[in-house]
Amino acid sequence: MSRLLLVTDLDNTLVGDDGALQRFNGWFKQHRQTYGSKLVYATGRSLKSYQRLTTQIALLEADILIASVGSEIYYPGYKLDEAWSSLSSLDWNRAGIVAITQQFPQLILQSESEQRPFKLSFVLHKEDAFILPELQAQLIIQGIEAELIYSNDHDLDIMRRKVNKGSALTYICRAPRFAAKQIVVCGDSGNDIALFAVNKLGIIVGNARTELLQWHQDNLEDDRYLAQANYAGGIIEGLKHFGIMHE
Ligand code: GLC
Ligand code: MG
């Protein structure tokens, strides 16, 4: 047993089953105390929306918060990592992206709080998702290299190329204080694919969405575990599978 860097998405991964969340919290608190383990939340939510969630649900305090689908990183006290924000902003042509998205009536802007300095977010219904290749093509024609991340058959996030949860994780791990086998990532949807792409040891919860399941099938990895149980129950199942949790 050794210390662990546990990186987890929130909505429909850690959050979704209050009983299982409580069991996870109890176990992690102990693990953190004994081994100095660290907890990272990697969420699509903005800081504001994350803070709202913390008033609704009993979440442990995270050591690091990766917010807004990887475009922002916060440390305790909600201290923004400004160096990461500067990297996220390189070549970021917001006006150019907005102009192109306006050509697609299927793209409906999400609420103001989810529009971030380096992230634009839309609702895009499943039946309209066929526009994605055309949108990508238009961006390329205009010389804009953007990251399009589609999740939940509903949410489209546009960020600068290579800004996502996975690159944010790589950034916070640049000082190698944890060995690869001590880092576990957990997720349920499209915006978590980047986490699984950069880290072998992973847990996909039982309630995962089709876009992640499809990617998993296409990129099988022995150290990625597909749980039967949902939400935090799936995380617990995976941690037991890897021999990290015993109870
Ligand atoms: C969260 C964010 C939203 C984003 C979605 C998928 O719900 O609030 O802006 O589109 O995650 O990444
Ligand atoms: Mg999720």
Side-chain angles (χ1 to χ4, degrees):
M1 188 64 71
S2 66
R3 77 201 194 109
L4 183 68
L5 180 69
L6 194 106
V7 183
T8 181
D9 168 53
L10 293 172
D11 294 275
N12 299 312
T13 301
L14 185 62
V15 175
D17 172 346
D18 290 347
L21 173 62
Q22 237 174 42
R23 274 188 287 138
F24 170 86
N25 283 350
W27 173 80
F28 193 85
K29 227 164 141 175
Q30 191 63 47
H31 203 273
R32 172 143 76 180
Q33 233 165 45
T34 314
Y35 301 101
S37 293
K38 303 274 184 215
L39 184 59
V40 176
Y41 295 146
T43 180
R45 289 177 181 250
S46 61
L47 178 61
K48 227 186 216 167
S49 166
Y50 165 75
Q51 287 173 320
R52 195 176 332 119
L53 183 69
T54 63
T55 65
Q56 297 159 347
I57 277 172
L59 289 171
L60 294 178
E61 199 194 332
D63 296 285
I64 299 181
L65 172 69
I66 295 174
S68 298
V69 200
S71 64
E72 292 163 31
I73 297 175
Y74 295 91
Y75 303 103
Y78 300 128
K79 229 173 106 302
L80 179 69
D81 187 319
E82 300 197 4
W84 177 249
S85 298
S86 313
L87 287 174
S88 300
S89 70
L90 286 175
D91 308 324
W92 168 241
N93 181 354
R94 190 188 190 90
I97 296 173
V98 168
I100 291 168
T101 56
Q102 282 168 348
Q103 299 166 20
F104 294 87
Q106 297 90 345
L107 295 173
I108 307 156
L109 267 181
Q110 290 183 13
S111 67
E112 197 49 49
S113 76
E114 300 313 287
Q115 310 305 331
R116 306 297 305 155
F118 311 117
K119 162 179 172 281
L120 279 161
S121 293
F122 301 85
V123 170
L124 175 63
H125 295 293
K126 187 180 179 183
E127 59 275 19
D128 295 325
F130 65 89
I131 66 158
L132 285 171
E134 178 59 20
L135 174 60
Q136 183 71 271
Q138 287 300 325
L139 289 163
I140 290 170
I141 290 167
Q142 299 296 323
I144 298 173
E145 291 188 88
E147 180 99 5
L148 300 187
I149 301 180
Y150 190 49
S151 306
N152 312 311
D153 288 325
H154 184 269
D155 304 312
L156 177 68
D157 302 307
I158 308 183
M159 275 138 355
R160 175 185 171 252
R161 188 175 68 94
K162 292 197 179 147
V163 171
N164 54 48
K165 289 184 181 183
S167 57
L169 174 60
T170 303
Y171 174 82
I172 63 176
C173 290
R174 64 201 183 288
R177 284 157 300 169
F178 288 86
K181 61 178 194 325
Q182 297 175 307
I183 306 175
V184 181
V185 299
C186 314
D188 78 296
S189 86
N191 71 14
D192 302 313
I193 290 172
L195 288 176
F196 294 107
V198 299
N199 195 75
K200 282 190 176 189
L201 216 52
I203 301 168
I204 297 179
V205 291
N207 54 289
R209 308 287 310 203
T210 46
E211 69 270 6
L212 174 57
L213 293 173
Q214 186 60 54
W215 179 87
H216 170 60
Q217 288 309 325
D218 295 343
N219 299 273
L220 283 175
E221 161 62 59
D222 286 346
D223 285 340
R224 192 180 314 121
Y225 181 72
L226 179 55
Q228 304 256 317
N230 294 342
Y231 312 112
I235 300 179
I236 291 171
E237 183 188 320
L239 291 171
K240 287 183 180 166
H241 167 83
F242 289 128
I244 294 170
M245 181 171 176
H246 311 269
E247 55 154 52

